[in-house]
């Protein structure tokens, strides 16, 4: 199994939107990233990304579909798309993956059903969905009504793609102590801050391919990265 980060844009976000009590005058860098998990039989995207973002100052902005194709990963080879929540920057580009099965929490689907192309197979779930490769989509519901995270095996740990339950890894350390966060965010932070058991991947953390876009291999079960 391989895990890739697909980075397609950069922007900034007010500190107050990233940390409780943050300064709205301070703008922090954020990246726009989706993830790809694959083996010999499946290519599973975690979120689809977007190719428009009205009102945002976006840099190095390309549709994830373009980046995947350029990397030799045809959009029609994607077998599944797991969508963490209904927001535009996570769902809009699902239209490019028409051969895939889309997996989305049922309340989130009701909020974004207009994004899906006609004829696309959609499977909704309530609290949890198990997929091949040991992947699990799990409802947290802190960021939005049915927002989810994704767990998957990564070596001797469990990998966790956070969706937008947190925008920064630093939030996990802050939120586990409460600090006014949504109770479910606190529960998430308390559980997944255990670095002996979990490795967390945050979709807007500026840690991949700064200043450029691309598909970056970050884990290969056949190699020690």
């Amino acid at each position: 199994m391989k895990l890739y980060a697909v980075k397609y844009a950069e922007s900034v976000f007010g500190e107050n939107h990233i940390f409780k009590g943050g300064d709205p005058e301070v703008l922090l860098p954020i990246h726009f990233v989706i993830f790809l998990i694959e083996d010999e039989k499946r290519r599973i995207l975690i979120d689809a990304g977007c190719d428009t973002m009205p009102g945002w100052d976006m840099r190095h902005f390309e549709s994830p579909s373009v980046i995947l194709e350029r990397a030799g990963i045809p959009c029609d080879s994607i077998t599944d798309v797991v969508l963490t929540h209904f927001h535009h920057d996570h769902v809009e580009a699902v239209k490019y993956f028409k051969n895939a099965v889309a997996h989305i929490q049922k309340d989130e689907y009701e909020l974004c059903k207009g994004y899906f192309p006609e004829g696309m197979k959609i499977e909704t779930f309530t609290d949890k969905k198990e997929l091949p490769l040991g992947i699990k989509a799990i409802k947290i519901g802190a960021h939005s009504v049915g927002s989810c995270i994704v767990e998957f095996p990564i070596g001797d740990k469990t990998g966790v793609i956070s969706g937008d339950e947190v925008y920064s890894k630093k939030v996990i350390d802050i939120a586990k102590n409460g600090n006014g966060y949504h109770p479910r965010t606190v529960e998430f932070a308390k559980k997944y801050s255990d670095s002996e058991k979990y490795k967390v991947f945050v979709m807007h953390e500026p840690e991949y391919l700064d200043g450029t876009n691309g598909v970056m291999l970050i884990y290969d079960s056949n190699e020690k990265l």
Side-chain angles (χ1 to χ4, degrees):
M1 186 191 83
K2 295 180 181 179
L3 171 68
Y4 300 88
V6 183
K7 188 260 184 162
Y8 65 96
E10 297 177 16
S11 190
V12 293
F13 210 21
E15 188 182 62
N16 60 312
H17 294 298
I18 298 175
F19 307 111
K20 287 288 184 181
D23 186 343
E25 299 300 318
V26 175
L27 299 178
L28 298 179
I30 61 171
H31 286 185
F32 288 76
V33 177
I34 61 175
F35 292 92
L36 171 66
I37 301 172
E38 71 169 13
D39 69 357
E40 296 82 4
K41 296 181 179 179
R42 287 183 177 265
R43 284 178 164 164
I44 301 175
L45 281 182
I46 312 301
D47 283 341
C50 62
D51 53 10
T52 66
M53 199 64 178
W56 282 68
D57 177 19
M58 302 287 275
R59 300 183 295 277
H60 314 294
F61 189 18
E62 299 177 277
S63 172
S65 63
V66 172
I67 295 167
L68 288 166
E69 293 276 355
R70 190 165 62 225
I73 303 170
C75 291
D76 62 8
S77 74
I78 301 299
T79 59
D80 303 84
V81 182
V82 182
L83 298 158
T84 62
H85 62 291
F86 78 96
H87 289 160
H88 178 88
D89 58 313
H90 294 257
V91 178
E92 185 198 19
V94 74
K95 61 192 175 187
Y96 296 109
F97 309 110
K98 296 179 182 180
N99 289 347
V101 179
H103 309 271
I104 184 169
Q105 199 277 340
K106 66 182 184 66
D107 297 312
E108 298 291 304
Y109 174 66
E110 292 301 320
L111 294 166
C112 67
K113 60 174 63 176
Y115 285 106
F116 294 89
E118 184 176 352
M120 186 174 195
K121 185 175 180 181
I122 300 161
E123 295 187 0
T124 64
F125 60 94
T126 302
D127 295 315
K128 184 166 73 172
K129 176 69 180 289
E130 297 191 10
L131 290 91
L133 309 185
I135 296 170
K136 299 176 184 177
I138 302 168
K139 176 184 172 182
I140 300 294
H143 183 65
S144 58
V145 62
S147 56
C148 295
I149 62 166
V150 175
E151 290 186 356
F152 59 97
I154 183 167
D156 59 356
K157 297 183 180 182
T158 297
V160 182
I161 295 173
S162 69
D164 278 356
E165 301 306 320
V166 294
Y167 288 113
S168 166
K169 290 180 180 177
K170 186 176 180 180
V171 173
I172 298 173
D173 289 328
I174 298 171
K176 69 182 180 182
N177 298 315
N179 197 42
Y181 282 84
H182 190 294
R184 293 193 185 97
T185 305
V186 174
E187 291 172 11
F188 167 85
K190 285 181 177 179
K191 178 176 180 178
Y192 294 110
S193 61
D194 185 348
S195 60
E196 295 297 314
K197 294 182 179 179
Y198 301 103
K199 183 171 179 59
V200 181
F201 301 89
V202 177
M203 305 188 101
H204 292 296
E205 187 81 46
E207 63 178 317
Y208 305 113
L209 299 169
D210 192 41
T212 187
N213 294 333
V215 178
M216 178 180 175
L217 178 65
I218 53 179
Y219 173 73
D220 185 340
S221 62
N222 296 315
E223 298 178 12
K224 187 173 181 178
L225 298 182

